[in-house]
Amino acid sequence: MIRFNHEHAHPFLEAGALEKAVAQTRDAFAKVQNKTGHGPEWLGWRDLLSKPNDALLNEIDRLAASIREDADVFIVCGIGGSYLGARAVIDALSPFFAGKGPEIIYAGHQISGSYLRDLVKWLSIPKEDGSAKQVYMNVISKSGTTTETALAFRILRKWIHDTYEEPKKHIICTTSAEGGALNKIIDSNGYKKFVLPDDIGGRFSVLTPVGLLPVAVAGHDIRNLFYGAVSAYRETEEQPEKLLTYAATRLALYKSGKAMDMIASFEPELGGMGGWMQQLFGESEGKNGKGMFPVLLGYSTDLHSVGQMVQEGKRNVMETFLVVDQDRASLKVEAETEDTDGLNYLSGKSFHEINTKAFQGTREAHVEGGVPCISIHFDKLDEEHLGRFIYLCELAIAVYVYCLDENPFDQPGVEAYKKAMFRLLGKPGA
Ligand code: PA5
Protein backbone atom coordinates (compact mmCIF):
# COMPACT_ATOMS: atom_id res chain seq x y z
CA MET A 1 0.00 0.00 0.00
CA ILE A 2 0.86 3.66 -0.27
CA ARG A 3 0.38 5.44 3.05
CA PHE A 4 0.23 9.19 3.71
CA ASN A 5 1.43 10.47 7.08
CA HIS A 6 0.44 14.04 7.92
CA GLU A 7 1.09 14.05 11.64
CA HIS A 8 4.17 16.25 11.18
CA ALA A 9 2.28 18.74 9.01
CA HIS A 10 -1.15 19.23 10.58
CA PRO A 11 0.15 20.88 13.79
CA PHE A 12 1.41 23.74 11.60
CA LEU A 13 -2.11 24.56 10.39
CA GLU A 14 -4.48 27.03 12.03
CA ALA A 15 -7.68 25.65 13.55
CA GLY A 16 -10.24 24.87 10.85
CA ALA A 17 -7.82 25.30 7.92
CA LEU A 18 -7.60 21.60 7.17
CA GLU A 19 -11.35 21.02 7.37
CA LYS A 20 -11.93 23.93 5.00
CA ALA A 21 -9.35 22.56 2.55
CA VAL A 22 -10.81 19.04 2.75
CA ALA A 23 -14.24 20.42 1.82
CA GLN A 24 -12.67 22.21 -1.17
CA THR A 25 -10.89 19.07 -2.33
CA ARG A 26 -14.16 17.10 -2.12
CA ASP A 27 -15.78 19.57 -4.52
CA ALA A 28 -12.71 19.46 -6.76
CA PHE A 29 -12.73 15.64 -6.82
CA ALA A 30 -16.38 15.70 -7.88
CA LYS A 31 -15.37 17.99 -10.77
CA VAL A 32 -12.67 15.52 -11.79
CA GLN A 33 -15.16 12.65 -11.64
CA ASN A 34 -17.92 14.50 -13.50
CA LYS A 35 -15.57 16.22 -15.95
CA THR A 36 -16.91 19.65 -14.98
CA GLY A 37 -13.63 21.37 -14.00
CA HIS A 38 -10.94 23.09 -16.11
CA GLY A 39 -9.62 21.07 -19.07
CA PRO A 40 -12.20 18.25 -18.99
CA GLU A 41 -10.91 17.12 -22.39
CA TRP A 42 -7.60 16.11 -20.69
CA LEU A 43 -8.90 13.48 -18.31
CA GLY A 44 -8.00 10.46 -20.45
CA TRP A 45 -5.41 9.34 -17.86
CA ARG A 46 -8.39 8.26 -15.72
CA ASP A 47 -10.45 6.69 -18.52
CA LEU A 48 -7.41 4.57 -19.36
CA LEU A 49 -7.67 2.94 -15.93
CA SER A 50 -11.43 2.56 -15.91
CA LYS A 51 -11.26 0.48 -19.12
CA PRO A 52 -7.89 -1.34 -19.18
CA ASN A 53 -6.67 -2.23 -22.67
CA ASP A 54 -5.05 -5.65 -22.20
CA ALA A 55 -4.48 -6.06 -25.93
CA LEU A 56 -2.24 -2.97 -25.87
CA LEU A 57 -0.33 -4.25 -22.83
CA ASN A 58 0.21 -7.57 -24.67
CA GLU A 59 1.40 -5.81 -27.81
CA ILE A 60 3.89 -3.70 -25.84
CA ASP A 61 5.10 -6.77 -23.95
CA ARG A 62 5.66 -8.74 -27.17
CA LEU A 63 7.62 -5.96 -28.83
CA ALA A 64 9.65 -5.33 -25.65
CA ALA A 65 10.54 -9.03 -25.40
CA SER A 66 11.84 -9.11 -28.96
CA ILE A 67 13.86 -5.92 -28.41
CA ARG A 68 15.31 -7.32 -25.17
CA GLU A 69 16.45 -10.42 -27.03
CA ASP A 70 18.43 -8.44 -29.59
CA ALA A 71 19.32 -5.04 -28.16
CA ASP A 72 22.52 -4.01 -26.38
CA VAL A 73 21.31 -0.44 -26.04
CA PHE A 74 17.82 1.06 -25.95
CA ILE A 75 17.63 4.83 -26.37
CA VAL A 76 14.63 6.66 -24.94
CA CYS A 77 14.50 9.92 -26.91
CA GLY A 78 12.11 12.44 -25.34
CA ILE A 79 11.83 15.35 -22.91
CA GLY A 80 9.58 16.30 -19.96
CA GLY A 81 6.53 14.09 -19.68
CA SER A 82 7.77 12.07 -22.64
CA TYR A 83 10.61 10.46 -20.65
CA LEU A 84 10.49 11.35 -16.93
CA GLY A 85 7.84 8.75 -16.03
CA ALA A 86 9.66 5.88 -17.74
CA ARG A 87 12.94 6.96 -16.16
CA ALA A 88 11.30 7.17 -12.73
CA VAL A 89 10.02 3.59 -12.86
CA ILE A 90 13.21 2.21 -14.45
CA ASP A 91 15.44 3.92 -11.86
CA ALA A 92 13.25 2.72 -9.01
CA LEU A 93 13.34 -0.93 -10.08
CA SER A 94 16.66 -1.54 -11.81
CA PRO A 95 19.90 -2.46 -10.01
CA PHE A 96 22.28 0.47 -9.61
CA PHE A 97 25.05 -1.29 -11.51
CA ALA A 98 25.18 -3.85 -14.33
CA GLY A 99 21.55 -4.84 -14.71
CA LYS A 100 20.39 -7.53 -17.13
CA GLY A 101 19.09 -6.64 -20.58
CA PRO A 102 19.83 -3.67 -22.80
CA GLU A 103 21.44 -0.59 -21.37
CA ILE A 104 18.84 2.20 -21.23
CA ILE A 105 20.15 5.57 -22.38
CA TYR A 106 18.26 8.86 -22.51
CA ALA A 107 18.56 11.42 -25.29
CA GLY A 108 16.56 14.33 -26.63
CA HIS A 109 16.12 15.74 -23.10
CA GLN A 110 18.54 18.66 -23.65
CA ILE A 111 20.45 20.28 -26.52
CA SER A 112 24.02 19.36 -25.60
CA GLY A 113 26.18 18.78 -28.68
CA SER A 114 28.92 17.12 -26.65
CA TYR A 115 26.41 14.66 -25.14
CA LEU A 116 25.18 13.61 -28.60
CA ARG A 117 28.67 13.53 -30.09
CA ASP A 118 29.91 11.29 -27.28
CA LEU A 119 26.81 9.10 -27.48
CA VAL A 120 27.25 8.50 -31.23
CA LYS A 121 30.97 7.83 -30.69
CA TRP A 122 30.19 5.30 -27.98
CA LEU A 123 27.41 3.60 -29.96
CA SER A 124 29.88 3.15 -32.82
CA ILE A 125 32.44 1.28 -30.72
CA PRO A 126 32.03 -2.46 -31.46
CA LYS A 127 31.41 -4.98 -28.69
CA GLU A 128 34.24 -7.08 -27.21
CA ASP A 129 33.64 -9.80 -29.81
CA GLY A 130 34.08 -7.25 -32.60
CA SER A 131 30.42 -7.17 -33.67
CA ALA A 132 28.39 -3.96 -33.86
CA LYS A 133 26.24 -2.93 -30.93
CA GLN A 134 22.55 -3.53 -31.54
CA VAL A 135 20.92 -0.19 -30.82
CA TYR A 136 17.16 0.40 -30.70
CA MET A 137 15.50 3.75 -30.18
CA ASN A 138 12.07 4.82 -28.99
CA VAL A 139 11.41 8.44 -29.93
CA ILE A 140 8.58 9.88 -27.88
CA SER A 141 6.96 13.21 -28.63
CA LYS A 142 3.26 13.93 -28.45
CA SER A 143 3.51 17.11 -30.52
CA GLY A 144 6.16 15.59 -32.76
CA THR A 145 7.82 19.00 -32.99
CA THR A 146 9.76 19.46 -29.72
CA THR A 147 13.16 20.88 -30.67
CA GLU A 148 15.31 18.99 -28.15
CA THR A 149 13.81 15.62 -29.11
CA ALA A 150 13.64 16.32 -32.84
CA LEU A 151 17.32 17.38 -32.99
CA ALA A 152 18.52 14.26 -31.15
CA PHE A 153 16.24 12.10 -33.30
CA ARG A 154 17.69 13.59 -36.48
CA ILE A 155 21.28 12.75 -35.42
CA LEU A 156 20.53 9.30 -33.99
CA ARG A 157 18.17 8.30 -36.81
CA LYS A 158 20.90 9.07 -39.36
CA TRP A 159 23.34 6.97 -37.36
CA ILE A 160 20.86 4.08 -37.27
CA HIS A 161 20.16 4.34 -41.02
CA ASP A 162 23.91 4.47 -41.77
CA THR A 163 24.64 1.51 -39.50
CA TYR A 164 21.98 -1.15 -40.05
CA GLU A 165 20.66 -2.91 -43.13
CA GLU A 166 17.14 -2.87 -41.72
CA PRO A 167 16.98 0.48 -39.89
CA LYS A 168 13.19 0.38 -39.65
CA LYS A 169 13.44 -2.46 -37.13
CA HIS A 170 15.50 -0.27 -34.79
CA ILE A 171 13.16 2.72 -34.52
CA ILE A 172 9.86 2.83 -32.63
CA CYS A 173 7.87 6.04 -32.37
CA THR A 174 5.29 7.18 -29.84
CA THR A 175 3.30 10.24 -30.79
CA SER A 176 -0.22 11.56 -31.33
CA ALA A 177 -2.56 9.92 -33.85
CA GLU A 178 -1.94 12.59 -36.45
CA GLY A 179 -0.14 15.87 -37.09
CA GLY A 180 3.37 17.01 -36.25
CA ALA A 181 6.63 16.49 -38.13
CA LEU A 182 7.22 13.13 -36.45
CA ASN A 183 4.10 11.66 -38.04
CA LYS A 184 5.38 12.75 -41.48
CA ILE A 185 8.71 11.00 -40.81
CA ILE A 186 6.89 7.88 -39.61
CA ASP A 187 4.70 7.82 -42.72
CA SER A 188 7.58 8.18 -45.12
CA ASN A 189 9.80 5.59 -43.36
CA GLY A 190 7.21 3.09 -42.16
CA TYR A 191 8.44 3.07 -38.55
CA LYS A 192 6.44 1.21 -35.91
CA LYS A 193 4.16 3.68 -34.09
CA PHE A 194 2.32 3.77 -30.79
CA VAL A 195 -0.33 6.42 -30.26
CA LEU A 196 -0.60 8.74 -27.28
CA PRO A 197 -4.31 9.64 -27.16
CA ASP A 198 -5.20 13.32 -27.52
CA ASP A 199 -6.92 13.42 -24.13
CA ILE A 200 -3.74 12.56 -22.18
CA GLY A 201 -1.05 15.20 -21.60
CA GLY A 202 2.66 14.34 -21.54
CA ARG A 203 3.15 14.42 -17.78
CA PHE A 204 0.05 12.25 -17.27
CA SER A 205 1.17 9.69 -19.87
CA VAL A 206 3.42 7.27 -18.01
CA LEU A 207 0.78 4.51 -18.05
CA THR A 208 0.40 4.74 -21.85
CA PRO A 209 2.96 3.42 -24.39
CA VAL A 210 5.00 6.56 -23.58
CA GLY A 211 6.12 5.04 -20.29
CA LEU A 212 5.16 1.40 -20.72
CA LEU A 213 7.37 0.48 -23.69
CA PRO A 214 10.67 1.71 -22.15
CA VAL A 215 9.72 0.16 -18.78
CA ALA A 216 8.96 -3.19 -20.45
CA VAL A 217 12.21 -3.09 -22.45
CA ALA A 218 14.04 -2.49 -19.16
CA GLY A 219 12.59 -5.82 -18.01
CA HIS A 220 9.87 -4.68 -15.60
CA ASP A 221 6.33 -5.99 -15.34
CA ILE A 222 4.08 -3.39 -16.97
CA ARG A 223 0.96 -5.38 -16.14
CA ASN A 224 1.62 -5.07 -12.40
CA LEU A 225 2.52 -1.41 -12.86
CA PHE A 226 -0.65 -0.68 -14.81
CA TYR A 227 -2.94 -2.74 -12.61
CA GLY A 228 -1.39 -1.20 -9.47
CA ALA A 229 -2.68 2.10 -10.83
CA VAL A 230 -6.03 0.51 -11.68
CA SER A 231 -6.37 -0.69 -8.04
CA ALA A 232 -5.57 2.80 -6.73
CA TYR A 233 -8.09 4.26 -9.19
CA ARG A 234 -10.86 1.89 -8.10
CA GLU A 235 -10.12 2.32 -4.39
CA THR A 236 -10.07 6.12 -4.52
CA GLU A 237 -13.30 6.24 -6.54
CA GLU A 238 -14.92 4.43 -3.60
CA GLN A 239 -12.94 5.92 -0.73
CA PRO A 240 -11.10 9.10 -1.69
CA GLU A 241 -10.66 10.46 1.89
CA LYS A 242 -6.98 9.57 2.40
CA LEU A 243 -5.96 10.99 -0.95
CA LEU A 244 -8.10 14.08 -0.43
CA THR A 245 -6.52 14.64 2.99
CA TYR A 246 -3.12 14.64 1.29
CA ALA A 247 -4.24 17.14 -1.37
CA ALA A 248 -5.98 19.23 1.32
CA THR A 249 -2.92 19.27 3.58
CA ARG A 250 -0.79 20.54 0.71
CA LEU A 251 -3.49 23.11 -0.12
CA ALA A 252 -3.80 24.35 3.45
CA LEU A 253 -0.01 24.64 3.75
CA TYR A 254 0.12 26.58 0.47
CA LYS A 255 -2.62 28.90 1.71
CA SER A 256 -0.68 29.39 4.96
CA GLY A 257 2.17 30.89 2.90
CA LYS A 258 4.35 27.96 1.88
CA ALA A 259 6.02 28.71 -1.44
CA MET A 260 8.12 25.58 -1.93
CA ASP A 261 7.46 21.87 -1.65
CA MET A 262 10.77 20.04 -1.17
CA ILE A 263 10.39 16.47 -2.44
CA ALA A 264 13.02 14.46 -0.59
CA SER A 265 13.98 10.82 -0.29
CA PHE A 266 16.67 8.85 1.49
CA GLU A 267 16.38 6.20 -1.25
CA PRO A 268 18.46 7.14 -4.31
CA GLU A 269 16.37 4.80 -6.48
CA LEU A 270 13.43 7.18 -5.88
CA GLY A 271 15.33 10.18 -7.26
CA GLY A 272 13.75 9.62 -10.69
CA MET A 273 10.29 9.37 -9.16
CA GLY A 274 10.93 12.65 -7.32
CA GLY A 275 11.93 14.16 -10.68
CA TRP A 276 8.72 12.94 -12.30
CA MET A 277 6.69 14.33 -9.40
CA GLN A 278 8.56 17.62 -9.63
CA GLN A 279 7.52 18.01 -13.28
CA LEU A 280 3.97 16.77 -12.67
CA PHE A 281 3.44 19.23 -9.84
CA GLY A 282 5.46 22.13 -11.27
CA GLU A 283 3.86 22.19 -14.72
CA SER A 284 0.40 21.62 -13.30
CA GLU A 285 0.31 24.19 -10.49
CA GLY A 286 2.70 26.98 -11.53
CA LYS A 287 0.17 29.28 -13.19
CA ASN A 288 -0.93 32.92 -12.90
CA GLY A 289 1.38 33.60 -9.96
CA LYS A 290 0.12 30.57 -8.04
CA GLY A 291 1.56 27.27 -6.83
CA MET A 292 4.45 25.93 -4.79
CA PHE A 293 7.84 25.49 -6.42
CA PRO A 294 8.69 21.77 -6.30
CA VAL A 295 12.32 21.20 -5.30
CA LEU A 296 13.99 17.81 -5.61
CA LEU A 297 16.35 16.73 -2.82
CA GLY A 298 18.35 13.51 -2.46
CA TYR A 299 19.13 12.73 1.18
CA SER A 300 21.27 12.32 3.07
CA THR A 301 23.56 13.68 0.32
CA ASP A 302 21.78 17.03 0.12
CA LEU A 303 21.70 17.44 3.90
CA HIS A 304 25.39 18.19 3.39
CA SER A 305 24.67 20.83 0.78
CA VAL A 306 21.34 22.56 1.39
CA GLY A 307 20.53 21.05 4.80
CA GLN A 308 21.45 24.31 6.50
CA MET A 309 18.99 26.19 4.29
CA VAL A 310 16.21 23.70 5.01
CA GLN A 311 16.86 23.86 8.76
CA GLU A 312 17.29 27.59 9.24
CA GLY A 313 16.54 29.43 5.97
CA LYS A 314 13.40 31.39 5.12
CA ARG A 315 10.37 29.58 6.65
CA ASN A 316 8.28 29.40 3.50
CA VAL A 317 8.94 25.73 2.76
CA MET A 318 7.20 22.42 3.31
CA GLU A 319 8.74 18.99 2.78
CA THR A 320 7.42 15.78 1.26
CA PHE A 321 9.40 12.64 2.09
CA LEU A 322 9.18 9.57 -0.16
CA VAL A 323 9.85 6.60 2.12
CA VAL A 324 10.23 2.87 1.45
CA ASP A 325 9.41 0.77 4.52
CA GLN A 326 10.80 -2.52 3.22
CA ASP A 327 14.49 -3.40 3.68
CA ARG A 328 15.67 -4.41 0.21
CA ALA A 329 19.41 -4.69 0.80
CA SER A 330 19.81 -6.91 3.91
CA LEU A 331 23.22 -5.35 4.45
CA LYS A 332 24.36 -5.16 8.07
CA VAL A 333 27.19 -3.47 9.92
CA GLU A 334 29.56 -6.06 11.38
CA ALA A 335 31.46 -5.54 14.64
CA GLU A 336 35.25 -5.14 14.41
CA THR A 337 37.62 -6.19 17.19
CA GLU A 338 39.29 -2.81 17.27
CA ASP A 339 36.63 -0.12 17.02
CA THR A 340 39.02 2.34 15.35
CA ASP A 341 36.35 4.12 13.33
CA GLY A 342 34.02 4.21 16.34
CA LEU A 343 31.18 2.53 14.46
CA ASN A 344 30.76 -0.57 16.63
CA TYR A 345 27.74 1.04 18.29
CA LEU A 346 25.98 0.33 15.01
CA SER A 347 27.06 -3.30 14.75
CA GLY A 348 24.22 -5.70 14.06
CA LYS A 349 22.12 -2.90 12.61
CA SER A 350 21.08 -2.99 8.96
CA PHE A 351 21.72 -0.09 6.62
CA HIS A 352 17.95 0.14 6.26
CA GLU A 353 17.58 0.70 10.02
CA ILE A 354 20.32 3.32 9.99
CA ASN A 355 18.83 5.07 6.95
CA THR A 356 15.37 4.98 8.59
CA LYS A 357 16.77 6.64 11.73
CA ALA A 358 18.47 9.22 9.52
CA PHE A 359 15.07 9.95 7.92
CA GLN A 360 13.24 10.11 11.25
CA GLY A 361 15.96 12.27 12.79
CA THR A 362 15.91 14.61 9.82
CA ARG A 363 12.13 14.93 9.91
CA GLU A 364 12.25 15.61 13.66
CA ALA A 365 14.91 18.30 13.17
CA HIS A 366 13.08 19.92 10.26
CA VAL A 367 9.78 19.99 12.17
CA GLU A 368 11.60 21.61 15.11
CA GLY A 369 13.08 24.08 12.61
CA GLY A 370 9.56 25.05 11.49
CA VAL A 371 9.15 22.91 8.35
CA PRO A 372 5.85 21.02 8.01
CA CYS A 373 6.56 17.52 6.73
CA ILE A 374 4.37 15.02 4.89
CA SER A 375 5.67 11.46 4.47
CA ILE A 376 4.47 9.17 1.69
CA HIS A 377 5.29 5.55 2.49
CA PHE A 378 5.70 2.67 0.03
CA ASP A 379 5.31 -0.71 1.81
CA LYS A 380 7.52 -2.12 -0.93
CA LEU A 381 9.28 -0.86 -4.01
CA ASP A 382 7.78 -2.88 -6.84
CA GLU A 383 5.75 -2.30 -10.00
CA GLU A 384 2.40 -2.47 -8.23
CA HIS A 385 3.32 0.15 -5.63
CA LEU A 386 4.83 2.43 -8.26
CA GLY A 387 1.65 2.18 -10.35
CA ARG A 388 -0.43 3.05 -7.31
CA PHE A 389 1.82 5.98 -6.44
CA ILE A 390 1.74 7.36 -10.00
CA TYR A 391 -2.04 7.45 -10.12
CA LEU A 392 -2.37 8.92 -6.61
CA CYS A 393 0.04 11.74 -7.49
CA GLU A 394 -1.83 12.45 -10.73
CA LEU A 395 -5.16 12.60 -8.94
CA ALA A 396 -3.79 14.62 -6.00
CA ILE A 397 -2.36 17.32 -8.24
CA ALA A 398 -5.48 17.49 -10.42
CA VAL A 399 -7.65 17.98 -7.32
CA TYR A 400 -5.24 20.48 -5.72
CA VAL A 401 -4.94 22.60 -8.88
CA TYR A 402 -8.72 22.68 -9.30
CA CYS A 403 -8.79 24.14 -5.77
CA LEU A 404 -6.52 26.94 -7.07
CA ASP A 405 -9.07 27.50 -9.85
CA GLU A 406 -6.49 26.69 -12.53
CA ASN A 407 -6.20 24.13 -15.34
CA PRO A 408 -3.84 21.33 -14.17
CA PHE A 409 -3.41 19.92 -17.67
CA ASP A 410 -1.96 22.72 -19.80
CA GLN A 411 1.46 24.42 -19.70
CA PRO A 412 1.14 27.73 -21.58
CA GLY A 413 4.20 29.18 -19.83
CA VAL A 414 6.54 26.63 -21.40
CA GLU A 415 6.05 28.37 -24.76
CA ALA A 416 7.79 31.57 -23.60
CA TYR A 417 11.37 30.23 -23.75
CA LYS A 418 10.65 28.50 -27.06
CA LYS A 419 9.42 31.75 -28.64
CA ALA A 420 12.54 33.63 -27.58
CA MET A 421 14.85 30.76 -28.61
CA PHE A 422 13.22 30.45 -32.05
CA ARG A 423 13.55 34.20 -32.60
CA LEU A 424 17.23 34.09 -31.64
CA LEU A 425 17.76 31.07 -33.93
CA GLY A 426 15.96 32.77 -36.81
CA LYS A 427 13.29 30.10 -37.20
CA PRO A 428 11.07 30.98 -40.18
CA GLY A 429 7.85 32.58 -38.94
CA ALA A 430 9.11 33.04 -35.36
O1 PA5 B 1 3.89 17.32 -19.72
C1 PA5 B 1 3.99 17.81 -20.81
O2 PA5 B 1 3.02 17.93 -21.59
C2 PA5 B 1 5.33 18.26 -21.32
O3 PA5 B 1 6.32 18.10 -20.36
C3 PA5 B 1 5.72 17.48 -22.55
O4 PA5 B 1 5.73 16.12 -22.26
C4 PA5 B 1 7.10 17.91 -23.07
O5 PA5 B 1 7.11 19.28 -23.29
C5 PA5 B 1 7.45 17.18 -24.34
O6 PA5 B 1 6.49 17.42 -25.33
P1 PA5 B 1 6.32 16.44 -26.54
O7 PA5 B 1 5.91 15.11 -26.03
O8 PA5 B 1 5.25 17.08 -27.38
O9 PA5 B 1 7.64 16.38 -27.26
Side-chain angles (χ1 to χ4, degrees), residues 79-82 141-143 146 202-203 279 283 411:
I79 194 167
S82 286
S141 176
K142 183 170 182 188
S143 61
T146 301
R203 59 190 175 278
Q279 191 228 356
E283 268 194 5
Q411 55 283 328

